[in-house]
């Protein structure tokens, strides 16, 4: 039996969401004039709240607005590296780090499954010692520059489960041969919670907390 521990990232391992902080981080040393565009980003978020477009499309629009048409590969690598270092300095739950180490000590394969973009999520995962990353991928130009388009699915909601299942197939794993412990803070991950053998609601917002209580799932609060 292959044992896995699959973790969501934003607000499960990290204390807050990471996409907006990443965008703000990029403005510190690059194209600072884009700070003036932040009110437009707020309007885009309002459009998503009004169901004018999907969450994935919102990410593409804010990406284009705040990062521009392209980001050279080396620039992206530097930005992602620095953001990961900053996030790990004071942006993660100490209890999450302890749980990751406990799962590793149990011999579990550590998998990060996050709606965040791979280009920075993979940097964070590597520093935390994860074995695999399932995340939202981005399209690249012929020269390898980052484009403001999602490649494939946004790793969110039912899409996250589909991407985990695709990863299973690529790894040659069968669901019946694995035991899965899954951690997340948000009810959007309900499809993965239902699929997992051991669902763990972490720092759950009210909808997930109610669902977890109804289903009898374990609930943890990582305040440290």
């Amino acid at each position: 039996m292959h044992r896995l521990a699959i973790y969501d990232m934003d607000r499960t391992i990290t204390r807050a969401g990471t996409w907006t902080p990443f965008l703000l981080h990029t403005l510190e040393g690059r194209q600072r004039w884009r700070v003036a565009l932040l009110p437009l980003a707020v309007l885009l978020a309002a459009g998503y709240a009004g169901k004018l477009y999907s969450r994935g499309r919102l990410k593409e629009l804010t990406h284009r607005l705040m990062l521009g048409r392209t980001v050279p590969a080396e620039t992206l690598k530097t930005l992602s590296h620095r953001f990961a270092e900053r996030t790990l300095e004071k942006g993660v739950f100490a209890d999450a780090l302890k749980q990751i180490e406990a799962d590793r000590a149990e011999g579990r394969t550590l998998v990060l499954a996050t709606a965040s973009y791979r280009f920075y999520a993979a940097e964070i995962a590597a520093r935390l010692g994860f074995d695999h990353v399932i995340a939202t991928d981005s399209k690249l130009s012929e020269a390898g520059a980052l484009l403001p388009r999602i490649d494939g699915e946004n790793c969110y909601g039912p899409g996250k489960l589909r991407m985990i299942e695709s990863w299973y197939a690529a790894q040659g794993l069968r669901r019946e041969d694995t035991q899965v412990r899954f951690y997340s803070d948000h009810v959007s991950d309900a499809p993965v919670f239902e699929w997992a053998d051991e669902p763990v609601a972490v720092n759950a917002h009210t909808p997930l907390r109610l669902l977890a209580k109804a289903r009898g799932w374990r609930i943890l609060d990582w305040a440290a």
Side-chain angles (χ1 to χ4, degrees):
M1 181 66 66
H2 193 154
R3 297 191 298 167
L4 288 77
I6 303 179
Y7 285 75
D8 175 50
M9 185 173 75
D10 288 15
R11 299 184 178 87
T12 299
I13 295 174
T14 63
R15 295 180 180 275
T18 55
W19 179 227
T20 298
F22 178 81
L23 292 176
L24 295 176
H25 166 73
T26 67
L27 299 179
E28 292 182 6
R30 177 181 177 272
Q31 299 184 338
R32 290 187 60 85
W33 62 269
R34 289 185 183 274
V35 171
L37 300 178
L38 287 173
L40 293 179
V42 174
L43 289 177
L44 289 174
Y48 166 70
K51 300 183 179 181
L52 297 180
Y53 33 77
S54 69
R55 193 179 187 91
R57 183 59 179 152
L58 171 63
K59 288 165 71 172
E60 291 178 332
L61 291 170
T62 54
H63 180 159
R64 172 67 181 85
L65 182 69
M66 303 307 298
L67 296 179
R69 291 182 182 275
T70 63
V71 181
E74 284 303 312
T75 300
L76 180 65
K77 182 177 180 180
T78 298
L79 290 171
S80 299
H81 175 89
R82 290 176 179 172
F83 179 69
E85 293 292 336
R86 176 177 295 186
T87 300
L88 292 180
E89 281 179 9
K90 54 184 178 181
V92 300
F93 290 108
D95 287 344
L97 299 180
K98 292 176 183 177
Q99 188 61 56
I100 290 167
E101 288 304 315
D103 284 329
R104 181 182 291 111
E106 287 183 13
R108 291 181 180 271
T109 297
L110 299 176
V111 181
L112 188 71
T114 175
S116 296
Y117 280 114
R118 183 183 299 275
F119 52 79
Y120 69 83
E123 292 274 354
I124 294 172
R127 286 160 178 75
L128 293 176
F130 276 83
D131 302 298
H132 301 277
V133 177
I134 301 166
T136 303
D137 288 304
S138 304
K139 289 187 179 294
L140 303 175
S141 71
E142 292 184 1
L146 181 71
L147 302 175
R149 295 294 300 278
I150 290 174
D151 187 8
E153 286 199 80
N154 184 34
C155 189
Y156 181 82
K160 181 180 286 190
L161 179 56
R162 287 191 292 268
M163 292 177 71
I164 291 173
E165 290 174 333
S166 294
W167 175 82
Y168 254 69
Q171 296 294 314
L173 294 173
R174 298 191 307 168
R175 181 65 184 87
E176 59 267 30
D177 295 332
T178 61
Q179 196 280 340
V180 178
R181 181 181 292 162
F182 176 65
Y183 304 87
S184 177
D185 72 293
H186 202 271
V187 74
S188 64
D189 280 324
V192 186
F193 276 117
E194 299 284 6
W195 172 86
D197 299 292
E198 189 179 340
V200 185
V202 178
N203 297 330
H205 66 156
T206 300
L208 176 57
R209 191 172 293 270
L210 292 174
L211 179 62
K213 289 180 178 179
R215 294 285 197 274
W217 299 339
R218 186 152 57 114
I219 298 174
L220 298 176
D221 290 303
W222 290 343

